[in-house]
Structure formats: C-alpha cells, structure tokens
Amino acid sequence: MFELTYCPQCGQKLTKKELPLDGLIPYCEQCGDFRFPFFSVAVSMIIMNEGGDQVLLIKQYGKDSYILVAGYVNKGENAEDSCRRELMEELHLTAKSLHFNRSQYFAPSNTLMLNYTVTVDQAEKVSPNEEIDAWNWLSIDEARRQIRPNSLARTFLLEYLNKCKLDR
C-alpha cells in the first residue's frame, strides 16, 4: 500500500508515531498531525437493461476483452453522482436507478473501487465518447463468458449475477 513519506501540508519528512488502536502511523512533527494514506476512489457499474436480461459491457484502451464502465470520483462529488456523470460522459445514457453492490481496494492503482448496478432504458441511444473502443448489450450468459478474465470487473459482475441468480 502507498505510504506517505512527506507531509502533504508542509512538506516536512514524516516520522512514525504510535496511535492507540491504529499502531505506527506517519506523523508530522511540524504540524502535530497524523497523516493517513491517500488513495483514489472510483466507481464501476454493472449496466443492466430494464428487463434485467442484458448487460452493457465496453472495451477500452485497445484491449480485446469486455469490462465494466468505471471512473474516478471527483473532489466534492458523491459516488452516486459519479455513476450518473460517468454514464453520461462515456455513453450518453441516463441512469433510471442505481444500487450499491460492494467495494474492494484495487492495489495496482491504489484505488478503492465502489461497484454499483445501474439500470438504463435500452431503447436510449448509446453514443460512446472517445474513451470507448467498442460496446455491446450482452445476454447474462454471454456477459459471464465475455467479461475480462482475472479482473476486478469480472469479480464484481459474477458476484452480482450469482447473488441475483441472473442466468437467463
């Protein structure tokens, strides 16, 4: 996990100091404050049609496998608004409903991922931006097969589908 070496407030080199119940935590002698690790927060979305029998998956960055739509939470923005914004920015779709599924820390990008299920009107025209290489509405079974192997997107999608027993 990423650990701070210098105080983000004053630039002073941090030392380790015991904090009851938390252990050794980076501490700024100059500011007199503990400095907890920084990490990013992002949302990922399982986009479902209103019938609940199809999932919209995307391809990005020249990769040949499907993933979930995802994006970072902006400063001052809540996660639900991030879902709505990312959905509109990347696909020009409007969320009819959204529900939180679960979270998981993703070490490669030092990011806390928050996963949601978003329902959209499948009749609404998908108009992807330049970040999206390809997209497709897939049946539940096809989505299970096509989601990128060994990915957090796959973990989120399969856990959701298994929990909801969506195997039409």
Side-chain angles (χ1 to χ4, degrees):
M1 171 176 248
F2 176 77
E3 188 173 295
L4 292 172
T5 306
Y6 293 91
C7 178
Q9 190 69 35
C10 71
Q12 175 80 22
K13 187 161 178 65
L14 298 172
T15 60
K16 296 279 185 154
K17 185 174 178 180
E18 182 74 26
L19 181 62
L21 304 178
D22 288 318
L24 289 175
I25 303 295
Y27 183 79
C28 179
E29 299 286 344
Q30 185 166 312
C31 295
D33 288 320
F34 288 95
R35 299 298 182 198
F36 291 91
F38 284 56
F39 57 89
S40 299
V41 178
V43 294
S44 74
M45 292 165 271
I46 300 166
I47 302 171
M48 302 290 297
N49 67 343
E50 288 180 288
D53 61 350
Q54 290 192 309
V55 180
L56 191 150
L57 297 177
I58 64 168
K59 293 181 181 181
Q60 281 186 305
Y61 314 121
K63 306 261 185 189
D64 194 33
S65 54
Y66 284 106
I67 58 172
L68 302 175
V69 171
Y72 287 97
V73 176
N74 290 332
K75 183 177 180 178
E77 184 177 49
N78 69 44
E80 292 76 13
D81 287 342
S82 294
C83 287
R84 290 181 187 94
R85 177 184 50 77
E86 287 290 338
L87 189 61
M88 182 56 68
E89 283 178 4
E90 294 193 13
L91 297 167
H92 292 94
L93 293 175
T94 304
K96 294 188 80 136
S97 67
L98 61 99
H99 301 281
F100 177 74
N101 294 322
R102 65 175 287 240
S103 63
Q104 184 169 324
Y105 177 72
F106 187 64
S109 63
N110 190 36
T111 303
L112 177 63
M113 296 295 298
L114 308 175
N115 181 251
Y116 286 82
T117 300
V118 180
T119 303
V120 300
D121 181 350
Q122 190 175 2
E124 195 173 0
K125 184 179 187 301
V126 177
S127 179
N129 71 10
E130 66 283 350
E131 294 179 44
I132 309 295
D133 297 334
W135 62 273
N136 202 356
W137 282 106
L138 301 170
S139 71
I140 300 299
D141 288 338
E142 192 64 20
R144 286 179 191 273
R145 287 191 296 273
Q146 295 293 323
I147 193 79
R148 181 176 293 156
N150 304 314
S151 67
L152 187 53
R154 180 179 184 81
T155 300
F156 283 148
L157 179 64
L158 295 184
E159 185 175 282
Y160 171 76
L161 295 175
N162 291 339
K163 181 178 83 177
C164 296
K165 295 180 178 44
L166 293 173
D167 50 11
R168 297 178 185 142

